[in-house]
Amino acid sequence: MSSIISFKNINKLAVPAIIAGIAEPVLSATDTAIVGNIPVHGTESLAAVGIVGSFLSALIWILAQTRAVISAIISQYLGAGKLDEVKMLPAQAILFNIGLSIAILLATVPFIKEIFILLKAEGVVLDYCISYYRIRVWGFPLTLFVFAIFGIFRGLQNTFWPMIIALIGVVANIIFDIVLVYGIEGFLEPMYLEGAAWASLCSQVLMAILSLIFLLKKTDVSLRLEKLWHPEMKRFMIMSFNLFIRSFALNTTIILAAREATSIGTNYIAAHSIAIQLWLFFAFFIDGYGGAGNILGGRLLGAKDYKNLIAMSKKVNLYGIIVASILGGAALLIPERLGLIFTKDPEVITIFKSFFYLVVIALPINAVAFVGDGIFKGMGETGFLRNVLLGSTFLGFIPTLMIARYMDWKLHGVWIAITVWMFIRGLALLIKFRRKYYPLATS
């Protein structure tokens, strides 16, 4: 089992997981960068993409947690040498995921305007939010379908094919964005903001088709519903429910942060939109090691190999912190260049540069939380993860945000609150892991 947690094997899982994981934030960041440079109402378009992106990320993160659940269950059965007993679960899990995503989509579409007014959008920004969301939201079930298949591959200890699918999706989205947003002279009129929404939707369709093809061609997993109810569906739904609640708390943070930034002014939500896109990129990058921890944690727990579980945890945390430090160090050197990728508005760039150091110096703290999340998901500790997010959100982030608002710290206060939120999350996971799993390794 020691070869499973070698540097080579961990990075064989983590590096493709990093590339696959950053697909969604890269898709959003591409929209943000291209839309922010639109010659007419570029700043308002950038603000709209930021608001819609925060809301869609909330929906996606809530339901995409089933990816981690599928991965955890399959990897645990793999570690226990009983993979054949769970091969019929994925079909039921995917059907559940898609059905729930469609229900939520249909429930939100009639209230688009009210949702974005609640998020403090108004005037031109509100109009742009509505037009952008009406198109992009239809890719929501497709994204969750792709994430579910990625979870199956992860459970089977394979992150290579998700990486290939993600790379194709990102390249396609960039091409679609350039063509549809700016148009082709004499052939296609510029579609501006709506073009960015169509570009994302087209790339999501492509990724869903590729995911289905690779699943059927590269694995033995069947998508036939041979049974109406697999015995593990009960555990799947309980774990998913815990992670849904956890994601509601997580996205309370994301949405409240966006709402606070929007209430300060258009230039501030534009600057915050750039920061949150980069934060998400860094998060998904670091989370590649969380993905490796998820995959290996479930497998080692299934095999009851607690010594290697602890050794693996130390390694993936160390690798995550190193990568986070490198990313943060590089970003601190070029804040203006990063901002200029998304907008040329000098006021937005000035605001962005004034607080961006808070985003990057907290990255090592984020690494501990993200990697710990992955390991605990792999081991099925979803109830504890739920409680940690609820506590860090309502006892950490929200009180800090209220203090920051009272002190008029503006976006500095928003990002200090986010850092407090991440610190509590990481610390709680470290304490729990040491108290529960270290004794098992010595018994």
Side-chain angles (χ1 to χ4, degrees):
M1 277 284 188
S2 59
S3 61
I4 292 175
I5 62 168
S6 65
F7 176 83
K8 180 179 179 181
N9 192 57
I10 288 174
N11 283 282
K12 182 180 178 181
L13 295 171
V15 173
I18 288 169
I19 296 171
I22 63 176
E24 179 60 28
V26 167
L27 292 179
S28 297
T30 301
D31 284 354
T32 305
I34 291 179
V35 165
N37 288 286
I38 289 175
V40 180
H41 295 302
T43 300
E44 290 83 357
S45 297
L46 177 59
V49 168
I51 295 168
V52 174
S54 295
F55 180 67
L56 273 178
S57 292
L59 293 179
I60 290 169
W61 281 359
I62 288 168
L63 294 184
Q65 299 304 315
T66 53
R67 171 183 61 177
V69 177
I70 294 171
S71 174
I73 293 174
I74 291 177
S75 61
Q76 287 171 23
Y77 271 78
L78 178 66
K82 300 178 180 179
L83 188 59
D84 287 341
E85 296 180 15
V86 78
K87 282 188 175 179
M88 289 182 291
L89 176 65
Q92 295 176 25
I94 288 173
L95 184 63
F96 170 82
N97 211 30
I98 293 174
L100 191 56
S101 68
I102 291 174
I104 291 177
L105 184 153
L106 295 175
T108 60
V109 168
F111 305 103
I112 296 173
K113 184 175 182 179
E114 290 75 12
I115 289 169
F116 294 123
I117 288 175
L118 185 64
L119 294 175
K120 297 293 186 178
E122 57 185 23
V124 174
V125 173
L126 176 60
D127 292 339
Y128 283 179
C129 283
I130 293 170
S131 63
Y132 182 70
Y133 181 81
R134 276 180 174 162
I135 299 167
R136 196 172 168 203
V137 71
W138 297 102
F140 175 50
L142 298 174
T143 298
L144 295 176
F145 174 75
V146 171
F147 278 7
I149 292 180
F150 282 10
I152 296 170
F153 275 112
R154 281 190 176 191
L156 295 172
Q157 318 290 287
N158 186 325
T159 55
F160 177 77
W161 293 114
M163 175 190 71
I164 297 299
I165 295 165
L167 283 174
I168 294 172
V170 168
V171 172
N173 186 72
I174 293 171
I175 295 171
F176 289 142
D177 254 330
I178 294 171
V179 170
L180 296 177
V181 171
Y182 298 123
I184 301 174
E185 188 173 353
F187 180 73
L188 180 68
E189 289 294 318
M191 298 175 68
Y192 298 129
L193 183 63
E194 290 190 354
W198 280 112
S200 291
L201 180 57
C202 290
S203 62
Q204 287 165 324
V205 170
L206 177 61
M207 290 175 68
I209 293 171
L210 291 174
S211 296
L212 179 60
I213 293 172
F214 283 126
L215 181 70
L216 296 177
K217 295 288 186 181
K218 302 298 180 180
T219 75
D220 294 328
V221 173
S222 173
L223 293 184
R224 294 180 182 177
L225 289 171
E226 297 179 7
K227 288 184 179 180
L228 293 177
W229 188 261
H230 189 281
E232 282 287 3
M233 273 300 291
K234 180 179 179 181
R235 184 159 73 112
F236 170 83
M237 295 184 73
I238 292 172
M239 290 171 67
S240 296
F241 179 74
N242 284 333
L243 293 182
F244 290 166
I245 298 299
R246 175 182 181 274
S247 294
F248 273 114
L250 187 153
N251 286 293
T252 296
T253 296
I254 301 297
I255 290 174
L256 286 178
R259 188 175 186 271
E260 185 71 16
T262 305
S263 68
I264 301 171
T266 299
N267 287 336
Y268 285 89
I269 182 56
H272 177 76
S273 297
I274 296 171
I276 203 69
Q277 291 294 345
L278 291 169
W279 187 86
L280 288 170
F281 175 82
F282 295 147
F284 279 93
F285 200 104
I286 298 166
D287 195 48
Y289 287 97
N294 176 284
I295 294 166
L296 296 174
R299 182 172 181 178
L300 293 169
L301 183 69
K304 298 184 179 179
D305 186 354
Y306 300 114
K307 289 184 178 179
N308 274 319
L309 178 62
I310 291 171
M312 179 275 296
S313 173
K314 290 179 179 179
K315 287 184 177 183
V316 292
N317 269 292
L318 177 61
Y319 300 157
I321 291 170
I322 291 172
V323 169
S325 300
I326 293 171
L327 285 172
L332 278 175
L333 297 175
I334 53 169
E336 185 166 353
R337 291 184 184 180
L338 291 174
L340 288 170
I341 293 172
F342 298 92
T343 184
K344 301 297 186 293
D345 189 316
E347 290 187 26
V348 175
I349 294 295
T350 299
I351 294 168
F352 169 73
K353 287 169 58 182
S354 72
F355 71 88
F356 183 61
Y357 70 94
L358 291 172
V359 179
V360 295
I361 62 175
L363 287 179
I365 296 173
N366 298 355
V368 174
F370 293 142
V371 171
D373 279 349
I375 294 172
F376 272 76
K377 286 175 184 176
M379 297 186 300
E381 294 268 9
T382 57
F384 181 71
L385 289 173
R386 175 201 64 208
N387 294 339
V388 168
L389 242 298
L390 289 170
S392 61
T393 299
F394 293 101
L395 300 178
F397 173 78
I398 292 177
T400 305
L401 188 67
M402 292 174 67
I403 293 170
R405 181 188 300 167
Y406 177 78
M407 299 297 292
D408 195 29
W409 290 342
K410 295 187 169 59
L411 289 183
H412 287 77
V414 172
W415 284 94
I416 289 171
I418 291 174
T419 301
V420 169
W421 178 63
M422 294 300 299
F423 176 79
I424 294 172
R425 288 172 57 184
L427 182 62
L429 294 174
L430 286 175
I431 293 171
K432 172 72 171 182
F433 188 85
R434 179 172 288 274
R435 287 181 177 177
K436 181 171 181 178
Y437 292 100
Y438 273 62
L440 291 173
T442 57
S443 61

